[in-house]
Amino acid sequence: MTAAKGRATTGNDAAVRPAAGAGAQGRGERRAGGNGPEGQGTPAGAGAGAAAAAAGREAGASEPAGRGPAGDIVAAVVRQWRTVRPDIDTGPMEVIGRINRCAALLQQAEDAPLRRAGLTRAEFDVLGTLRRTGHELTPGEIVRETFSSGAAVTKRIKQLTERGLVERRGDARDRRVAHVRLTDAGRDLVDGVLPEQLAYESAVLSGLEGGRQCELAALLGELLVQLEGRLGAPRR
């Protein structure tokens, strides 16, 4: 994966938001949901966090700010904020900033196997949805399955139809309704690309041993359920 070159100079910029230029191919096609609570005032418990940080500085502690690896860019952002605003709790930034930073780096990598197949991840999501459900779907059903907007799905279906990967048919009882299904070429493409894509993603995660991957997946799943319940399904 190609690491981003930009560095943050303020707390809620490059390290907390996606890096400039990240995922240019899929701009406007990403899932929403990286909007964190940055800048929403001082959260409860800020005094305790500030006291701990101040105690560490007074003791001459040299460990990185935050609870993450010493070298990650979000830790540097947190250190800067703790210097200028020792009274606030940076805990939420340490979580949301790292999620957003990881997303930016993954988007910069542009999913190499998909790129070789001439697909964006959003297009592959449409093909994969039709493959895993095993039957034709209406555009509205694809919208719900892929957490996308209606306009975005319409555009992707049109592009995939032009490539001969999906086909549309009208509903015999309601001409306003269309049904979309994979062609044989679309099914073959999904079946060929999926193992390569999963191998690529396994390589991306290879720095975490299996048990830690499972732990991370469970924590992210718990957070996602909470966010979807609180903020609603994202659209991209």
Side-chain angles (χ1 to χ4, degrees):
M1 291 172 50
T2 303
K5 296 180 180 179
R7 291 186 62 86
T9 55
T10 59
N12 287 339
D13 46 30
V16 177
R17 300 172 186 162
Q25 172 182 330
R27 195 173 294 144
E29 295 184 341
R30 300 176 190 162
R31 286 183 174 84
N35 300 322
E38 301 100 344
Q40 294 181 357
T42 303
R57 287 194 297 273
E58 290 172 3
S62 59
E63 70 272 9
R67 292 170 281 277
D72 89 66
I73 193 170
V74 177
V77 172
V78 170
R79 280 196 297 272
Q80 291 171 343
W81 274 117
R82 287 185 175 178
T83 297
V84 299
R85 287 296 306 274
D87 57 312
I88 64 172
D89 179 8
T90 57
M93 188 185 299
E94 295 175 42
V95 175
I96 293 173
R98 288 185 171 101
I99 290 174
N100 285 345
R101 183 62 175 163
C102 287
L105 292 172
L106 290 171
Q107 288 159 358
Q108 281 184 324
E110 294 181 341
D111 300 314
L114 299 183
R115 188 172 67 251
R116 286 195 297 270
L119 294 171
T120 65
R121 176 169 282 275
E123 290 170 339
F124 186 73
D125 282 349
V126 173
L127 296 176
T129 295
L130 291 167
R131 182 69 175 107
R132 63 182 166 80
T133 57
H135 55 79
E136 62 184 25
L137 299 171
T138 66
E141 290 170 332
I142 295 174
V143 164
R144 291 190 291 274
E145 289 284 340
T146 60
F147 310 113
S148 302
S149 69
V153 165
T154 298
K155 178 181 177 181
R156 293 165 200 161
I157 291 173
K158 180 177 183 294
Q159 293 169 335
L160 295 170
T161 300
E162 291 172 351
R163 294 182 57 184
L165 300 175
V166 303
E167 58 185 20
R168 298 167 55 112
R169 70 168 183 85
D171 189 280
R173 292 173 295 182
D174 188 343
R175 296 178 60 184
R176 297 170 298 177
V177 177
H179 299 271
V180 183
R181 71 177 183 89
L182 282 176
T183 63
D184 290 342
R187 183 179 297 103
D188 290 344
L189 182 61
V190 173
D191 289 349
V193 169
L194 182 59
E196 295 181 24
Q197 181 65 21
L198 291 175
Y200 170 77
E201 293 176 356
S202 294
V204 169
L205 296 173
S206 61
L208 296 176
E209 57 93 14
R212 299 188 69 193
Q213 288 186 29
C214 292
E215 180 182 358
L216 177 60
L219 289 171
L220 290 174
E222 182 179 342
L223 175 62
L224 182 58
V225 167
Q226 293 179 19
L227 292 178
E228 287 182 336
R230 189 184 315 156
L231 304 178
R235 289 291 181 264
R236 62 190 179 98

